[in-house]
Amino acid sequence: MAGTGAFAEILDGDVYKYYADGEWKKSSSGKAVAITNPTTRTTQYKVQACTQQEVNKVMEIAKIAQKSWAKTPLWKRAELLHKAAGILKEHKIPIAEALVKEIAKPAKDSLTEVVRSGDLVSYCAEEGVRILGEGTFLVSDSFPGNERTKYCLTSKIPLGVVLAIPPFNYPVNLAVSKIAPALIAGNSLVLKPPTQGAVACLHMVHCFHLAGFPKGLISCITGKGSEIGDFLTMHPGVNCISFTGGDTGIAISKKAGMVPLQMELGGKDACIVLEDADLDLVAANIVKGGFSYSGQRCTAVKVVLVMESVADEVVEKVKSRMATLTIGRPEDDCDITPVVSESSANFIEGLVMDAKEKEATFCQEYKREGNLIWPLLLDNVRPDMRIAWEEPFGPVLPVIRIASIEEGIHHCNASNFGLQGCIFTNDINKAMLISDAMETGTVQINSSPARGPDHFPFQGIKDSGIGSQGITNSINMMTKVKSTVINLPSPSYTMG
Ligand code: NAP
């Protein structure tokens, strides 16, 4: 059970502690932030509301800890990460339980998130040993006017203190996807978990504590992003920010100082369906892609752009598959569970009502109880409806019927977002042409969008992000190249 056994020390009464200087602590604020269970809509957990002074202290210690961590041999850093991965997987049950209660993620998916996170940490340790174990060697005589009098050696060095801010929907996975690359590369790490998902993150951090990382190298500051967020992201002690979330990331990018940014933000992933596609495969992927975790995925299918001639058949097939989705509590492992908050549910309802006013075709009746919204397919959506452009982050999926491939590409590219997209066709030549034309970070051919496997590059363009994630890219992003040039008194040629 969360907060018991190996995790008993992270709890003080009914408030979870924050983690700093290798210890679990109570905030001097004396205040707690309540975490509402999206299913029961009552307070499930409480976490410390950390103060600015506590942030200052954490940054100071993180800076000191990083200096000696950077001198820790790479193989030892990897060894500790492997150990943490093992402990994380060993404790998957209480961490998954927190995910079920905090973010209403179905029970099986919650367990999968923790196991996947352990695998990510191990993979990152292995990848880090390989890519950080190598540098480059350049010679000067390739550039016009130079003799071979200079040898340049490059290696990758850490940036310093990395600030990691993940979102609610994959709090553990998206936290470790920042923590592991930061640590293997020799950085220290300050985590600000999402409020919904903070308790799962605190348990995950305790697994790193149990693995025996040096004091102060990892810290976890809790509190509302709206209260402590600006102070963290604008803190002079931060040398890199890795953020995943919504538009908040755009605001952070404007405020952050001259530090490298990794921003993975929202999406409006389009699914383009051509006449020659396997329509059963299309329907299966639309339902899985659009409604897994109730549509609360950055890479959920968020708009279907289907050729008019096959639209009726696609809509019928999607409807019949949607009828098999189970709706209810995450504890019962239902497909559709309550969305994360009442305000999210209200926002989704606003999009649905706008579509209703503008006469979209409702394939099911709109139904909501508390934060639970029944899955809904909206057909005949037009570009003047908000749902055609906005990210509902809920179980509501618009279908736009298109007369040509160009119309589909145009709609996709007119979006502010550019995370992923997908194309269904049996013609690989058409698929490649459309993929090249789509202004998105990734295009999936004959499958719905997805962030994994976690070592694949993952990036958004336009308002969907800055930089690229994926294990290798994250390690590279959290390092800087350092060169040493050996200047020879006379030209020297190999075997010369
Ligand atoms: P969000 O509201 O932007 O919050 C993300 C994180 O930012 C949370 O930890 C939040 O803390 C924190 N935060 C809030 N205000 C802040 C501030 N002023 N300064 C610093 N941090 C602040 O996003 P969300 O609702 O958790 O997640 C949903 C969004 O994430 C969707 O748009 C989705 O598409 C996107 N997402 C993108 C990816 C990707 O890789 N591209 C993956 C998953 C999700 P609090 O919880 O305490 O407010």
Side-chain angles (χ1 to χ4, degrees):
M1 216 181 120
T4 61
F7 298 100
E9 67 173 295
I10 76 173
L11 192 59
D12 176 63
D14 66 345
V15 186
Y16 280 89
K17 299 183 202 164
Y18 78 102
Y19 186 64
D21 204 10
E23 286 171 23
W24 291 96
K25 300 185 176 194
K26 288 197 307 185
S27 170
S28 61
S29 73
K31 289 188 197 147
V33 177
I35 298 172
T36 305
N37 180 324
T39 312
T40 61
R41 296 195 289 155
T42 57
T43 298
Q44 182 72 45
Y45 302 122
K46 288 180 195 160
V47 291
Q48 309 288 328
C50 292
T51 64
Q52 296 188 350
Q53 289 69 33
E54 283 154 356
V55 171
N56 286 336
K57 188 79 192 149
V58 153
M59 293 297 174
E60 202 181 296
I61 294 167
K63 191 171 179 177
I64 297 165
Q66 191 271 326
K67 296 278 179 226
S68 51
W69 180 243
K71 292 182 194 138
T72 304
L74 192 48
W75 67 267
K76 278 197 184 172
R77 291 184 223 156
E79 200 173 72
L80 275 173
L81 282 169
H82 281 301
K83 196 169 169 198
I87 297 171
L88 190 61
K89 287 201 213 174
E90 191 187 318
H91 294 295
K92 65 183 180 211
I93 292 173
I95 303 176
E97 178 201 305
L99 291 173
V100 167
K101 304 281 186 214
E102 285 180 289
I103 60 165
K105 182 167 280 191
K108 271 194 200 146
D109 294 348
S110 296
L111 280 172
T112 307
E113 178 172 343
V114 183
V115 174
R116 171 185 178 183
S117 300
D119 291 339
L120 192 161
V121 174
S122 292
Y123 197 108
C124 195
E126 287 170 21
E127 193 69 359
V129 165
R130 287 187 207 110
I131 65 176
L132 298 167
E134 285 183 0
T136 57
F137 170 57
L138 291 86
V139 289
S140 50
D141 65 322
S142 55
F143 200 88
N146 285 273
E147 291 278 10
R148 191 172 290 207
T149 49
K150 291 173 189 285
Y151 290 165
C152 178
L153 306 172
T154 76
S155 60
K156 292 189 174 118
I157 58 166
L159 296 175
V161 180
V162 175
L163 172 65
I165 307 182
F168 83 83
N169 61 343
Y170 288 88
V172 175
N173 183 262
L174 287 168
V176 300
S177 74
K178 304 171 189 318
I179 296 173
L183 296 184
I184 193 69
N187 299 290
S188 58
L189 191 288
V190 176
L191 173 69
K192 160 32 205 141
T195 297
Q196 301 289 142
V199 169
C201 281
L202 291 169
H203 283 72
M204 174 272 294
V205 168
H206 193 54
C207 296
F208 282 79
H209 170 80
L210 295 173
F213 280 88
K215 278 184 171 201
L217 189 69
I218 308 168
S219 327
C220 186
I221 288 284
T222 52
K224 282 189 185 161
S226 53
E227 286 168 15
I228 200 85
D230 283 354
F231 191 73
L232 276 162
T233 54
M234 296 197 285
H235 200 284
V238 171
N239 304 113
C240 169
I241 302 175
S242 177
F243 175 91
T244 308
D247 287 351
T248 320
I250 298 176
I252 292 174
S253 306
K254 288 177 181 153
K255 288 182 234 168
M258 214 176 82
V259 297
L261 300 178
Q262 187 180 48
M263 292 280 158
E264 294 292 345
L265 312 181
K268 184 72 182 172
D269 293 5
C271 170
I272 300 182
V273 185
L274 305 193
E275 288 104 336
D276 68 341
D278 173 342
L279 299 188
D280 287 309
L281 181 74
V282 168
N285 274 278
I286 288 177
V287 174
K288 182 170 150 274
F291 297 100
S292 296
Y293 187 34
S294 309
Q296 296 172 112
R297 294 167 51 247
C298 54
T299 54
V301 169
K302 294 191 182 123
V303 58
V304 177
L305 302 164
V306 56
M307 292 295 280
E308 185 69 67
S309 58
V310 290
D312 285 346
E313 207 179 330
V314 167
V315 166
E316 276 317 307
K317 283 181 188 288
V318 171
K319 268 167 64 178
S320 64
R321 280 180 186 266
M322 284 175 68
T324 67
L325 293 173
T326 54
I327 297 138
R329 292 171 0 121
E331 287 85 349
D332 301 332
D333 212 31
C334 289
D335 298 311
I336 303 294
T337 54
V339 297
V340 70
S341 65
E342 192 173 345
S343 64
S344 288
N346 291 343
F347 174 77
I348 297 162
E349 187 163 294
L351 296 178
V352 172
M353 292 309 139
D354 174 75
K356 191 173 185 180
E357 261 168 44
K358 294 173 184 158
E359 296 176 351
T361 307
F362 279 53
C363 298
Q364 298 84 10
E365 199 186 330
Y366 173 66
K367 193 173 165 195
R368 169 182 171 186
E369 272 173 21
N371 296 354
L372 185 61
I373 294 178
W374 269 247
L376 178 63
L377 189 71
L378 297 171
D379 194 4
N380 295 305
V381 165
R382 293 183 320 271
D384 63 327
M385 300 177 193
R386 286 177 56 202
I387 191 85
W389 305 106
E390 294 180 43
E391 184 186 29
F393 233 57
V396 178
L397 182 58
V399 176
I400 299 181
R401 294 169 175 239
I402 52 172
S404 66
I405 292 175
E406 290 68 29
E407 194 183 332
I409 294 170
H410 175 78
H411 185 91
C412 169
N413 291 352
S415 171
N416 289 338
F417 294 116
L419 192 58
Q420 291 208 357
C422 60
I423 308 158
F424 286 86
T425 173
N426 281 322
D427 184 336
I428 188 68
N429 298 325
K430 273 190 193 159
M432 283 311 301
L433 285 173
I434 299 169
S435 168
D436 283 343
M438 285 169 82
E439 293 169 7
T440 62
T442 304
V443 175
Q444 305 268 349
I445 297 171
N446 290 327
S447 184
S448 49
R451 187 162 51 85
D454 286 323
H455 67 303
F456 280 14
F458 181 62
Q459 54 279 318
I461 58 178
K462 299 193 271 187
D463 285 355
S464 289
I466 303 175
S468 178
Q469 278 198 142
I471 288 172
T472 310
N473 287 346
S474 291
I475 295 172
N476 285 330
M477 185 267 167
M478 292 175 186
T479 59
K480 206 175 167 73
V481 173
K482 165 86 188 264
S483 304
T484 302
V485 181
I486 301 167
N487 290 279
L488 303 173
S490 58
S492 173
Y493 288 87
T494 317
M495 311 294 282

